[in-house]
Amino acid sequence: MSSWFPTRIDPYAGNFVERFAHLLSEKYEVTVLHTMGDKNCSSIEVDEEEIDNLRIIRIYHRIASNRFMHWWLQRKALHKGLLMLDHIDLIFAHVFLPRAMQFARVQRYFRVPLIVMEHGSYYRKKLRKNFLSLHQQVIKRGSRHTSEIVAVSNVLRSDMQPLFPTTKIQVIPNFVDEQIFTLRETNPVGRKKFIHISTLDKNTKNPAFLFDGFLNAYLESGKQISLTVVSDQNTDEWQKWARLNSCADAITFTGPCEWEEVSQLLKEHDALILTSEYETFSIVIAEAWLTGTPVISTAVGIAANMTEALGIKIEQNNIADLKHAILSMVNGKVTFDKEVLRSFGMQFSKESVQQQLIELFNKHFIVYD
């Protein structure tokens, strides 16, 4: 189960959760149960698919303007899904909000262990102080039914601790398929081709910082560098910005990509740039390291404690700092070993994370038995 999961409404929301389902289906029989409101629905609709050991059940329901009615429709959709399930041994859920009470209801229904893996960014101090009491109650009540909580990074675990002061939170990272994200052939010194991969969300990804920093480096380099931007969101605003700032020829905008395409793009570029204000993990950094690609990043997610062998850390909103980092790579003042980058990134490999999850599940299967 998950608060985020790809649907016909948004095929990219929570796609990393779907990858976890596929990963675990290599070892277990896995069923995904997900409900979603759809304004085009007049009644409950069930979408079911099966791929080897993976069964995905998406149940769509009408969206009601009345909050109580919407909750009742969502509850009705979940009940229909529960009737489609025969027997389960463990619930592996992702992201407490907004569906923590669904997780708790299914746990009570089957009376099996519930493990929740958290990816959400709403625990950071900036947002935590604005939590509605309802959100706090949902998390508190949901956690009462949870056997174990898992955070995807140490950064997220630290941010979660104030809301779970007496709960031990284990860290298991997101994963990257090492067979898809293979090592690049070259080990360039002067790096001129840069790539950014994100939603370009102004609240977290800070695209204005990215583009202003790149523009400054572009002009100072004698217009010798380029930037590819990969985003699953609308980029019209930033394409217009590039034209107004006379750098449209240097910036290429690309739509959403599958994992294989992302891997190839990373290997075709010399460095990844990340300018986020906050990340719980940042899967694109792990993907870059596995391909032997260094990163320029703010101190977020798994880049928070990044060493000089892995990339260059930059200060948030410091345009001169970003420009200097880019030009340091362009001029070959810093060098990186692709083998070192991949070796470090292998801690986020599919095989490594799968083994950590198996050990976690086995502990709770024994309790349940």
Side-chain angles (χ1 to χ4, degrees):
M1 301 186 70
S2 177
S3 289
W4 308 336
F5 201 77
T7 64
R8 66 192 186 196
I9 314 300
D10 187 343
Y12 297 101
N15 54 5
F16 54 88
V17 177
E18 186 173 21
R19 289 175 189 145
F20 268 103
H22 283 280
L23 174 70
L24 293 171
S25 71
E26 295 179 4
K27 300 293 183 179
Y28 307 101
E29 292 184 14
V30 177
T31 297
V32 176
L33 177 59
H34 187 69
T35 63
M36 173 59 64
D38 185 347
K39 63 182 180 181
N40 296 314
C41 273
S42 58
S43 61
I44 290 179
E45 298 179 17
V46 177
D47 178 12
E48 182 178 4
E49 62 178 310
E50 290 194 36
I51 308 168
D52 297 325
N53 283 335
L54 176 60
R55 181 188 184 196
I56 300 177
I57 303 172
R58 297 178 178 90
I59 304 180
Y60 299 93
H61 59 85
R62 180 169 60 86
I63 294 177
S65 56
N66 179 282
R67 181 179 295 180
F68 177 79
M69 178 58 70
H70 186 80
W71 169 83
W72 183 81
L73 290 169
Q74 188 180 67
R75 185 180 176 89
K76 187 176 179 182
L78 180 65
H79 182 69
K80 187 173 184 66
L82 291 175
L83 295 177
M84 298 174 66
L85 303 180
D86 180 23
H87 169 77
I88 62 172
D89 295 305
L90 181 143
I91 304 163
F92 185 41
H94 296 258
V95 190
F96 268 111
L97 292 178
R99 288 182 167 82
M101 296 315 297
Q102 277 199 354
F103 306 160
R105 185 183 174 200
V106 177
Q107 190 278 328
R108 292 195 304 269
Y109 185 89
F110 286 107
R111 298 193 177 280
V112 295
L114 166 64
I115 298 171
V116 179
M117 189 175 201
E118 186 59 82
H119 309 256
S121 62
Y122 42 76
Y123 294 97
R124 55 181 167 144
K125 190 174 182 180
K126 180 179 178 181
L127 297 182
R128 194 170 63 231
K129 62 183 180 182
N130 297 324
F131 254 30
L132 297 175
S133 59
L134 174 62
H135 293 156
Q136 294 177 359
Q137 287 301 313
V138 166
I139 290 176
K140 190 173 182 179
R141 290 178 62 188
S143 65
R144 288 175 185 163
H145 297 270
T146 303
S147 301
E148 190 148 358
I149 298 173
V150 179
V152 293
S153 70
N154 287 314
V155 169
L156 180 55
R157 176 169 61 181
S158 296
D159 286 342
M160 292 176 69
Q161 209 66 69
L163 284 173
F164 303 93
T166 61
T167 305
K168 180 182 177 182
I169 303 175
Q170 181 176 346
V171 174
I172 297 179
N174 279 315
F175 74 94
V176 179
D177 191 331
E178 64 273 26
Q179 295 179 341
I180 294 176
F181 288 84
T182 54
L183 189 62
R184 64 193 300 131
E185 294 181 0
T186 59
N187 216 349
V189 177
R191 298 172 184 268
K192 297 182 179 181
K193 297 179 65 177
F194 298 87
I195 186 169
H196 173 83
I197 305 171
S198 83
T199 60
L200 297 179
D201 178 11
K202 293 181 180 180
N203 294 320
T204 54
K205 307 303 181 182
N206 205 352
F209 175 35
L210 166 72
F211 290 113
D212 285 341
F214 173 79
L215 176 61
N216 278 261
Y218 173 67
L219 295 174
E220 192 161 323
S221 71
K223 301 183 178 181
Q224 296 298 308
I225 62 175
S226 65
L227 174 67
T228 297
V229 177
V230 181
S231 179
D232 60 7
Q233 301 298 311
N234 188 292
T235 59
D236 289 349
E237 175 185 354
W238 299 110
Q239 292 188 55
K240 180 180 178 181
W241 178 94
R243 291 193 296 270
L244 289 173
N245 287 277
S246 302
C247 58
D249 291 342
I251 304 178
T252 301
F253 292 89
T254 302
C257 298
E258 298 299 327
W259 249 11
E260 291 81 2
E261 296 172 293
V262 173
S263 174
Q264 186 58 37
L265 280 169
L266 284 168
K267 287 182 281 190
E268 291 172 357
H269 290 77
D270 299 321
L272 171 76
I273 302 177
L274 192 78
T275 54
S276 300
E277 292 186 359
Y278 185 86
E279 295 280 349
T280 57
F281 183 81
S282 189
I283 192 72
V284 293
I285 292 179
E287 292 168 349
W289 285 337
L290 277 165
T291 63
T293 305
V295 303
I296 296 172
S297 177
T298 46
V300 295
I302 57 174
N305 299 310
M306 179 173 65
T307 66
E308 293 180 355
L310 304 172
I312 303 175
K313 276 195 291 189
I314 55 173
E315 183 182 348
Q316 185 62 247
N317 289 318
N318 189 329
I319 293 174
D321 203 20
L322 175 53
K323 180 191 74 173
H324 178 73
I326 293 172
L327 293 177
S328 293
M329 288 196 176
V330 173
N331 299 327
K333 292 182 179 179
V334 289
T335 58
F336 302 93
D337 187 328
K338 62 178 183 175
E339 299 285 354
V340 170
L341 290 162
R342 182 171 176 84
S343 178
F344 184 84
M346 283 299 288
Q347 66 184 293
F348 310 115
S349 70
K350 173 180 172 180
E351 183 178 352
S352 173
V353 173
Q354 185 184 64
Q355 186 56 43
Q356 292 177 66
L357 289 172
I358 289 172
E359 291 174 5
L360 172 64
F361 294 164
N362 282 343
K363 180 171 65 174
H364 290 280
F365 286 146
I366 293 170
V367 170
Y368 173 58
D369 289 342

